[in-house]
Amino acid sequence: MTTYTSSWIRAYTNIALIKYWGKADEALKLPKNNSISLTLDSFYTDTHVQFDSRFTADTLTIDGQGQDQNGAALKKAKIILDLVREIAQVDYNAKITSLNYVPTAAGLASSASGLAALAGAASNALELNLSDTDLSRLARRGSGSASRSIFGGFVEWEKGDSDVTSVAKPLDDANWDIGMLFIILDSRQKAVSSSEGMSRTVATSVFYPAWLETIELDLADMRQAIKDQSIQQVGEIAERNALKMHGTNLGANPPFTYWSAESLRAMEHVRQLRQEGYNVYFTMDAGPNVKLIGTYQELKEIKEHLSKYYDPAQLILAQPGPGLTVLPEHVHADITPN
């Protein structure tokens, strides 16, 4: 009997300020454009991996629920497992145990934290001692945005042109007064997955060429705004970039949108807050939920203000979060597989 067991590994979600929208290579998950994100501390995934010569198949348990062998979650996980097995030259099946502190498939970056944590745990179990750059590359193969969750603070995922060159890198530690306030409008799984939405938009949207034509300017502007620690510039650029991304979906065939009536209402709340003097902006990913960008101190006030319109459970305040983290042994000791 041979067993390899990982520590519990935690990865935090990241929210893109300059969006990743469209793949240049579906198999390698190479993006059409660079993206810039902020890793946050409020949503995360904890994962443990065990390889064992006795296991007859790879298995995945999320929050105590076993996943279908033919389901999308396990298929993504197997991509990473197969890559680490190839590197380590072992052929043992694996048991993955994952605790997801993020609503799944609701536009809250659950795949980013989930696949980044898996990349960390699987390589930890087989003692591969991969660099953060190599972990970013590995995580990308499971989910593109997961490449950014290896790092904390502001991160740029460079699109590259190959499996080797498409990796994320830290941009700024975000050790300044910036935060995000999540308005959770619907945590249910979305009707159009991010992957499906990207593919349809790239293939059919009449607006997609304009997205690619303007993305380099957005990236350059965002890098400068982060360097200047300008909340206003970060927020304005992120907001316009998000609106452009969602605009490409309306030009697809058939058209689709991730927005709901509640999304539009939340966006209008942000505009009203700006009229009242708050320095606050919004961004949205592939889902109906709205994220507010501002100083952490001002977002505390805004959260109190918005509690008149939303249940407190719908309002989650976040600060910049760290990169991939090895948890102490006592954490989840009661559920660590034998």
Side-chain angles (χ1 to χ4, degrees):
M1 179 189 79
T2 304
T3 302
Y4 299 96
T5 302
S6 77
S7 302
W8 280 92
I9 305 294
R10 176 171 293 175
Y12 294 83
T13 60
N14 70 81
I15 296 298
L17 303 173
I18 303 296
K19 305 299 185 187
Y20 149 50
W21 198 239
K23 298 186 184 77
D25 186 304
E26 291 280 348
L28 294 177
K29 294 184 176 60
L30 305 184
K32 288 275 194 178
N33 60 271
N34 285 26
S35 56
I36 294 175
S37 64
L38 178 60
T39 300
L40 296 161
D41 64 355
S42 290
F43 296 117
Y44 53 88
T45 302
D46 293 349
T47 296
H48 177 279
V49 175
Q50 185 176 37
F51 293 90
D52 197 301
S53 58
R54 298 169 298 174
F55 296 160
T56 58
D58 292 323
T59 59
L60 169 61
T61 300
I62 301 177
D63 299 332
Q65 301 295 314
Q67 302 298 296
D68 182 354
Q69 280 288 324
N70 297 314
L74 188 53
K75 283 182 178 179
K76 285 185 177 183
K78 280 177 173 287
I79 294 171
I80 289 179
L81 293 176
D82 287 343
L83 287 168
V84 297
R85 283 188 283 240
E86 182 181 352
I87 296 168
Q89 293 295 290
V90 301
D91 60 0
Y92 304 135
N93 289 307
K95 178 190 293 184
I96 307 166
T97 305
S98 197
L99 302 172
N100 203 27
Y101 298 89
V102 194
T104 302
L108 293 170
S110 60
S111 62
S113 60
L115 275 301
L118 175 59
S123 58
N124 177 273
L126 295 176
E127 299 180 352
L128 298 182
N129 297 314
L130 298 182
S131 67
D132 285 346
T133 297
D134 288 335
L135 285 170
S136 175
R137 184 181 300 117
L138 175 61
R140 188 201 75 238
R141 296 291 297 274
S143 171
S145 57
S147 66
R148 300 186 304 241
S149 277
I150 300 300
F151 302 98
F154 291 101
V155 179
E156 180 164 359
W157 173 17
E158 297 181 340
K159 64 179 181 178
D161 57 11
S162 68
D163 184 41
V164 173
T165 58
S166 184
V167 294
K169 65 177 184 180
L171 201 58
D172 181 274
D173 62 10
N175 188 25
W176 43 286
D177 190 7
I178 187 169
M180 281 195 189
L181 177 62
F182 290 72
I183 305 179
I184 311 299
L185 301 168
D186 190 343
S187 59
R188 293 175 297 179
Q189 187 164 331
K190 57 206 174 196
V192 179
S193 71
S194 300
S195 182
E196 179 187 345
M198 283 187 200
S199 297
R200 189 190 306 179
T201 301
V202 171
T204 69
S205 177
V206 296
F207 302 143
Y208 193 72
W211 165 262
L212 294 178
E213 287 168 11
T214 59
I215 196 71
E216 289 301 327
L217 179 60
D218 287 354
L219 286 161
D221 287 349
M222 183 60 77
R223 292 185 200 109
Q224 187 62 49
I226 291 169
K227 183 178 180 180
D228 294 341
Q229 298 186 3
S230 171
I231 289 291
Q232 180 175 347
Q233 287 300 306
V234 168
E236 287 180 353
I237 298 161
E239 188 170 302
R240 81 177 187 226
N241 183 263
L243 290 172
K244 277 194 293 186
M245 186 206 92
H246 285 274
T248 65
N249 304 336
L250 298 176
N253 185 18
F256 67 99
T257 183
Y258 293 107
W259 295 357
S260 65
E262 290 78 12
S263 304
L264 293 167
R265 178 170 172 256
M267 286 186 266
E268 187 56 33
H269 278 311
V270 176
R271 296 187 184 102
Q272 290 172 358
L273 285 164
R274 281 206 293 268
Q275 289 177 0
E276 294 171 16
Y278 287 100
N279 194 19
V280 63
Y281 304 86
F282 66 80
T283 188
M284 290 182 66
D285 293 295
N289 303 298
V290 178
K291 297 95 176 176
L292 279 57
I293 303 164
T295 67
Y296 186 75
Q297 294 304 315
E298 198 163 55
L299 288 173
K300 286 182 180 179
E301 294 180 31
I302 291 171
K303 181 180 180 182
E304 188 71 25
H305 174 84
L306 291 177
S307 65
K308 295 182 290 187
Y309 307 101
Y310 302 99
D311 186 278
Q314 292 180 271
L315 302 171
I316 300 175
L317 192 55
Q319 292 180 287
L324 211 62
T325 303
V326 179
L327 299 180
E329 288 187 10
H330 68 271
V331 178
H332 305 314
D334 56 329
I335 57 173
T336 300
N338 294 320

